Amino acid sequence: SKILQKPPFLAKIFGTNYPVSICFIVVNEFCERFSYYGMKALLTLYFLTYLKWDKDLSTAVYHAFSGLCYFTPILGAFIADSWLGKYKTIIYLSIVYVIGHVVKSVGAIPTVGSTELHIALSMSGLILIALGTGGIKPCVAAFGGDQFDEEHTTERQKFFSIFYMSINHICFGGDCYALAFGVPAALMVVALVVFIAGSSLYKRTPPQGNVLWEVCNCIGFALKNRWNKSKHDPPKKHWLDWAEEKYSMRLIQEIKMVLRVLVLYIPLPMFWALFDQQGSRWTLQATRMNLSFYRVMLNALLILVFVPIFDLIIYPLVRLCQPGIMRFAHEFSWFIFNRFLNTQPEALNVTVGDNNFYMSSGYNVTHNKTVQRGEYTDVTCISNSGKTSKLNLGLLDFGACYTVILTEAGKIVPHKIEDVKANNVHIAYQIPQYILITAGEVMFSITGLEFSYSQAPANMKSVLQAGWLLTVAFGNVIVLIVAEGAGLEQWIEFLLFACLLLGVCIIFSVMAHFYTYVDPEEMEKLYLENSVREEDDSDFKKKNNEIELNKTGKSTKM
């Protein structure tokens, strides 16, 4: 029998059916995802501008890392379900996660070693991060679901929405990669501390033994037995039934449940193949760090807006009548990014529009700031001694990034360098795509998380969560193959993925139509009743045998 370790006092949030323990889990996930996406948002540009890799190699390594982050959940699920349990697995792999962030941050410090050392540290850090983030992914979601009582399924479904909202929030970029990678490391420490702080409140399901290994052995035995005996023995209703002579019907039935869900997941990697290109091909399309920041911010904001809208409005309307229609309007400004380099022996203050750029003496560079598009022919420059000059910066165009070097030849002269060329297509044209793909993400991801939990047997919750995450891994593998092997133009790549996803949607719709939902908790009760009944029957038979023996004994004596 399975023993659920419960804390002595399970407090609820303000008299609701939500346990207090989920607050610690949600905050932990918030910090962990901030840590992950804060680092990942800059990764492609880090490869391009810091390690000086080309676009295809940067895309390939980005998706190789993303894929690894979603292959390692299998390892995390194996450790959690078979050895340490979800709670300890999250703690230990979070420590590995923090170490990976630290190594990655050190690899981004310019003064640390050569380019080869930077690459070695960066790749080592990314491997550790992939092991940490991937290992805890299936455990955190399943562990959160475990906190709810069996009868509170509605609250558990809403928890997955809140959980997914905590995953998506505003990430940031910056000019200093070491700092940009270091802050996520600190946030991961916060995530670990918060999770440990709630330890006395958690329900903990002990590991159920080597579940994954037992599943693999059962499948292997069924296939082997079928191959050896199918020619002579009568056919079985299901191929897994060939394992009946060695494994229990309960285990076989649970494996059938898991396999039915995994088969349903086969078409899903194509969604992630398109979706995850936001961090690679879509970033390269913008080809600028600051615009990639707004790309990440827009996606995060849309998630935060869409999740409650879908959860509280759209889905109830779908249940009652027909799908609602959501309209979302968003304005996006034109951005130009600018910075100044001061070569003068005294400090300078330059005012461009509403922005002030202060530079101390001696080749000091300001941070990038955004200014509106326009002709700037009369920019004020004031020196520390009070001397005022007028600078002609010319046209600062849409989406460009400029560095203005201030030199002196009798007067201060600006030399404008265009670091990133101006846009000929406005970035706001990407907003409709982001709105649509984010709406798809909300319906797809949250439903998938909850579906994976609800359709899994009690001892395979983490395993099926890992199976769901594997769809992301294979999606990144698809992009990796296309990016490195196909050699297509970018617009053809986009069109190819869109057409493939359309075909997959049709296939998945047909598969989902024929899927029959199961209730693992009802099945669990049924197995318990059957086991009790079998024990009673066994006791009854034993007593009857004893009575018969006693009767036989007496008659012999007579």
Side-chain angles (χ1 to χ4, degrees):
S1 62
K2 298 169 185 173
I3 301 172
L4 190 66
Q5 296 177 358
K6 296 186 179 181
F9 176 66
L10 291 176
K12 305 291 184 180
I13 300 174
F14 301 120
T16 67
N17 292 322
Y18 293 91
V20 173
S21 56
I22 67 168
C23 296
F24 293 90
I25 295 171
V26 169
V27 173
N28 164 268
E29 184 67 8
F30 182 92
C31 294
E32 188 273 324
R33 292 288 85 189
F34 199 116
S35 169
Y36 177 74
Y37 286 117
M39 178 275 300
K40 194 177 176 184
L42 295 175
L43 203 53
T44 300
L45 294 160
Y46 172 75
F47 295 152
L48 279 170
T49 61
Y50 192 83
L51 298 182
K52 305 300 180 184
W53 291 349
D54 61 38
K55 292 182 178 181
D56 286 338
L57 180 58
S58 299
T59 299
V61 175
Y62 175 90
H63 285 285
F65 167 70
S66 298
L68 184 60
C69 288
Y70 288 92
F71 276 117
T72 49
I74 287 291
L75 178 60
F78 175 79
I79 294 172
D81 287 343
S82 305
W83 180 24
L84 295 177
K86 300 182 189 76
Y87 176 74
K88 289 184 178 179
T89 301
I90 293 169
I91 290 177
Y92 294 154
L93 289 182
S94 292
I95 295 171
V96 174
Y97 199 162
V98 171
I99 295 171
H101 269 305
V102 171
V103 173
K104 183 76 183 69
S105 302
V106 171
I109 299 175
T111 56
V112 175
S114 61
T115 302
E116 289 74 19
L117 181 60
H118 291 162
I119 294 173
L121 288 174
S122 297
M123 295 304 104
S124 300
L126 289 177
I127 290 171
L128 291 174
I129 290 171
L131 179 61
T133 187
I136 68 176
K137 277 180 192 295
C139 303
V140 176
F143 191 63
D146 288 346
Q147 305 308 305
F148 292 87
D149 296 327
E150 292 180 6
E151 63 271 19
H152 298 147
T153 55
T154 302
E155 287 81 1
R156 189 183 65 206
Q157 290 171 352
K158 292 187 182 299
F159 159 74
F160 282 106
S161 294
I162 298 169
F163 181 82
Y164 198 75
M165 282 181 68
S166 74
I167 293 175
N168 293 275
H169 36 68
I170 300 172
C171 304
F172 58 92
D175 295 324
C176 176
Y177 285 112
L179 177 62
F181 292 144
V183 173
L187 283 167
M188 191 57 220
V189 174
V190 174
L192 179 57
V193 171
V194 169
F195 185 76
I196 294 174
S199 59
S200 62
L201 297 169
Y202 299 138
K203 283 184 185 179
R204 304 185 202 176
T205 305
Q208 303 297 318
N210 206 333
V211 178
L212 190 60
W213 183 249
E214 190 175 9
V215 168
C216 294
N217 283 338
C218 181
I219 292 173
F221 182 80
L223 292 172
K224 181 181 178 182
N225 217 22
R226 182 187 184 189
W227 177 264
N228 293 333
K229 298 184 177 181
S230 59
K231 295 179 181 178
H232 314 290
D233 293 0
K236 304 283 187 181
K237 189 174 181 180
H238 190 281
W239 62 270
L240 266 172
D241 293 336
W242 288 97
E244 288 177 355
E245 63 187 62
K246 185 175 180 180
Y247 295 92
S248 68
M249 284 301 299
R250 175 175 178 170
L251 177 64
I252 292 171
Q253 189 61 35
E254 288 176 342
I255 296 173
K256 288 179 183 178
M257 290 167 56
V258 171
L259 290 181
R260 286 174 66 244
V261 177
L262 292 179
V263 168
L264 194 64
Y265 286 170
I266 289 174
L268 302 188
M270 191 52 64
F271 174 87
W272 297 112
L274 191 146
F275 181 84
D276 272 4
Q277 289 185 66
Q278 291 181 86
S280 57
R281 291 306 200 198
W282 287 33
T283 298
L284 295 173
Q285 190 180 45
T287 63
R288 51 187 55 85
M289 179 185 302
N290 294 292
L291 292 187
S292 87
F293 163 73
Y294 289 105
R295 171 193 60 76
V296 174
M297 183 180 70
L298 177 62
N299 179 250
L301 287 174
L302 287 173
I303 287 288
L304 296 177
V305 171
F306 279 3
V307 168
I309 287 177
F310 273 84
D311 203 39
L312 301 176
I313 300 174
I314 301 298
Y315 290 147
L317 286 176
V318 170
R319 295 186 192 104
L320 290 173
C321 49
Q322 295 177 346
I325 301 174
M326 182 178 65
R327 295 181 180 179
F328 186 82
H330 191 81
E331 294 182 358
F332 205 88
S333 301
W334 299 98
F335 289 105
I336 302 102
F337 297 91
N338 205 53
R339 64 180 177 177
F340 288 85
L341 169 61
N342 182 19
T343 65
Q344 305 305 302
E346 60 179 337
L348 298 174
N349 191 73
V350 178
T351 302
V352 182
D354 297 328
N355 294 283
N356 290 320
F357 296 83
Y358 177 78
M359 297 151 278
S360 58
S361 59
Y363 291 88
N364 178 263
V365 182
T366 66
H367 290 292
N368 274 321
K369 292 186 179 181
T370 62
V371 298
Q372 294 293 319
R373 180 187 186 276
E375 289 278 353
Y376 293 88
T377 57
D378 194 25
V379 174
T380 302
C381 176
I382 303 174
S383 67
N384 201 36
S385 60
K387 181 181 177 181
T388 302
S389 304
K390 295 295 182 179
L391 308 178
N392 183 1
L393 302 183
L395 174 66
L396 300 183
D397 208 353
F398 294 135
C401 187
Y402 301 98
T403 298
V404 180
I405 303 173
L406 302 179
T407 62
E408 185 172 8
K411 63 175 183 178
I412 296 177
V413 179
H415 297 275
K416 186 174 67 175
I417 300 173
E418 193 175 31
D419 300 322
V420 177
K421 293 187 179 296
N423 285 332
N424 53 12
V425 177
H426 197 294
I427 191 174
Y429 283 111
Q430 284 192 343
I431 291 178
Q433 294 94 297
Y434 276 109
I435 290 175
L436 290 172
I437 202 167
T438 303
E441 179 192 4
V442 168
M443 292 185 283
F444 189 82
S445 296
I446 297 174
T447 306
L449 279 172
E450 199 277 330
F451 178 80
S452 299
Y453 185 90
S454 66
Q455 295 298 288
N459 61 337
M460 298 185 191
K461 299 289 188 187
S462 296
V463 172
L464 201 50
Q465 287 288 328
W468 164 253
L469 295 170
L470 273 178
T471 64
V472 187
F474 284 112
N476 281 274
V477 170
I478 292 170
V479 180
L480 182 62
I481 293 170
V482 173
E484 284 294 294
L488 302 174
E489 292 184 40
Q490 190 163 304
W491 71 270
I492 298 177
E493 257 189 38
F494 287 158
L495 184 62
L496 172 65
F497 281 110
C499 292
L500 288 173
L501 184 57
L502 178 62
V504 161
C505 286
I506 296 171
I507 294 170
F508 180 73
S509 299
V510 175
M511 294 174 67
H513 177 73
F514 291 102
Y515 180 83
T516 303
Y517 280 82
V518 295
D519 188 344
E521 292 170 358
E522 289 296 324
M523 189 170 292
E524 182 81 10
K525 291 177 183 177
L526 181 63
Y527 281 128
L528 287 173
E529 290 173 3
N530 289 339
S531 63
V532 170
R533 195 177 295 115
E534 286 173 3
E535 288 177 3
D536 291 342
D537 290 344
S538 177
D539 290 341
F540 180 74
K541 289 178 181 177
K542 186 177 180 181
K543 289 177 182 178
N544 278 346
N545 289 336
E546 289 175 355
I547 291 170
E548 290 297 325
L549 286 172
N550 289 336
K551 285 180 179 180
T552 306
K554 288 177 182 178
S555 62
T556 305
K557 287 181 181 179
M558 288 176 66

